[in-house]
Amino acid sequence: MNMRSASKFLSIAAVLLVAQSAVADALLKLPNFEALANKATKVVNITLDANLLGLAGRFLDSNDPEDAAAKELIAGLKGVYVRSYEFDTDFAYPKADVDSVRKQLGSPGWQQLVQVRSRKEHQDVDVYILIEQNRATGLAIIASEPREFTIINIVGAIDLQKLHRLEGQFGIPKLDLEEKKSGK
Amino acid sequence: MNDEFENELKRALRPVEPDAGFADRVTAHIRDSAGRGDRIRPTVRLRFRWLPVALAASMALGIVTYEWHAHRVREGIEARRQLIEALRVTQEKLDFVYQTVKQEAHSNDDSGV
């Protein structure tokens, strides 16, 4: 290998390493909640890496509006991870595990987008976004209630506009706060 | 008339000794036929010997391909279901945030803040 091809190889390796580290930053280390499965009344445990997202994309029907929206959204994604547990008693889950995920979001690049502390609903929700080169490359949502917690980690180029456009789909009702207010 | 016909028949069917070399000719003929058979049979056997192996291999390949395809389809359908579920949960949480923030903003507007 001559000097020119060696430097070319090193440049490519450096670019790949940077790309890999960007993915690693957006990918949170989620604690193992397997032990909670027996105590929980409802469990949602989803791990979709780039390979499975690609496979899921092939099974989305472009003629179906819901599927088409999902297909468009996952185009730039590298992973979707969801851990959601519901219990029939208060604080049956170790809060420290949820806090350990929150702690990871203090690392550089992650920005807190919204923090909601609802006394009425007894629900705390934190939305974090990872910004790299003015682009959102990661999203994390941590929601906790006395009987439920949800951790969502989306890795990859996220178009928040597209995510917002999904409103009214997947069984989520469209918000009608404006209409309610004008109708008063 | 009948006696004459009977005598003629008897004469025609009387045992006759074969001419010299008949036995040799028959033996030679049998040997030739057997020799030809020996030459053909291995050739045919060799030519079609791969057929059962090929059929078995094709069937095995077909079964493996079908199983792999069916597995990928099952995996794909499950991945799609999980994706839709993940997006539903995400939307639910974002909706809650959006609703709470909006309500907060409206209550501030109403109180003249």
Side-chain angles (χ1 to χ4, degrees):
Chain A
M1 196 187 283
N2 59 29
M3 281 298 286
R4 203 171 159 183
S5 55
S7 68
K8 203 172 172 183
F9 173 76
L10 284 173
S11 314
I12 293 167
V15 168
L16 287 173
L17 271 173
V18 169
Q20 185 59 41
S21 70
V23 171
D25 287 341
L27 180 64
L28 299 172
K29 286 181 190 77
L30 300 179
N32 188 358
F33 295 114
E34 292 288 311
L36 294 176
N38 294 332
K39 285 198 275 181
T41 52
K42 190 184 171 192
V43 177
V44 177
N45 191 338
I46 294 169
T47 299
L48 291 169
D49 58 11
N51 178 36
L52 282 174
L53 278 175
L55 187 63
R58 287 207 288 275
F59 286 84
L60 291 168
D61 180 9
S62 302
N63 297 321
D64 180 75
E66 191 177 283
D67 279 20
K71 202 169 190 171
E72 204 183 341
L73 187 75
I74 63 163
L77 299 186
K78 292 183 172 76
V80 175
Y81 307 88
V82 178
R83 304 287 183 269
S84 183
Y85 290 79
E86 276 180 42
F87 306 90
D88 50 12
T89 53
D90 285 358
F91 298 108
Y93 62 91
K95 225 171 160 285
D97 281 353
V98 180
D99 289 340
S100 77
V101 180
R102 269 202 184 93
K103 210 175 256 180
Q104 291 176 53
L105 299 165
S107 54
W110 282 104
Q111 289 176 21
Q112 191 169 41
L113 207 63
V114 193
Q115 184 185 56
V116 171
R117 298 285 177 263
S118 169
R119 269 176 291 166
K120 199 177 111 191
E121 309 263 350
H122 301 287
Q123 190 168 175
D124 297 344
V125 185
D126 297 292
V127 182
Y128 293 84
I129 196 159
L130 181 71
I131 303 282
E132 282 172 332
Q133 293 163 345
N134 297 322
R135 283 179 68 208
T137 56
L139 179 80
I141 301 171
I142 300 177
S144 54
E145 293 173 58
R147 295 187 177 196
E148 184 187 336
F149 77 89
T150 302
I151 299 170
I152 299 163
N153 182 204
I154 299 177
V155 182
I158 302 154
D159 190 333
L160 291 174
Q161 292 284 342
K162 281 180 192 168
L163 196 63
H164 183 67
R165 255 184 267 140
L166 287 180
E167 191 188 299
Q169 299 195 45
F170 308 112
I172 306 296
K174 230 177 165 65
L175 290 174
D176 55 351
L177 292 169
E178 291 296 333
E179 286 103 76
K180 267 185 193 163
K181 201 186 176 199
S182 59
K184 268 180 191 171
Chain B
M1 177 88 180
N2 276 345
D3 287 345
E4 207 175 308
F5 175 72
E6 205 178 317
N7 290 337
E8 189 72 23
L9 198 64
K10 273 180 185 166
R11 225 181 2 259
L13 294 174
R14 76 185 188 284
V16 177
E17 278 300 313
D19 57 347
F22 175 77
D24 291 342
R25 284 203 305 278
V26 170
T27 313
H29 182 76
I30 291 168
R31 204 186 304 123
D32 281 0
S33 303
R36 267 204 308 278
D38 282 352
R39 278 200 304 278
I40 291 163
R41 256 182 252 130
T43 317
V44 171
R45 240 185 279 137
L46 277 173
R47 195 176 294 164
F48 296 105
R49 198 169 54 175
W50 55 268
L51 199 65
V53 178
L55 278 173
S58 305
M59 276 178 70
L61 189 70
I63 290 167
V64 168
T65 309
Y66 175 79
E67 276 300 317
W68 179 81
H69 180 71
H71 173 73
R72 286 294 278 179
V73 168
R74 279 196 299 271
E75 220 177 28
I77 290 168
E78 177 56 19
R80 180 193 174 276
R81 188 198 65 76
Q82 287 198 2
L83 175 67
I84 298 292
E85 176 71 359
L87 291 176
R88 192 193 62 74
V89 173
T90 308
Q91 270 299 297
E92 198 180 277
K93 294 302 164 194
L94 287 178
D95 248 23
F96 173 76
V97 169
Y98 189 64
Q99 214 159 355
T100 311
V101 170
K102 276 266 183 183
Q103 274 168 354
E104 196 84 0
H106 288 156
S107 61
N108 284 345
D109 284 351
D110 291 343
S111 62
V113 178

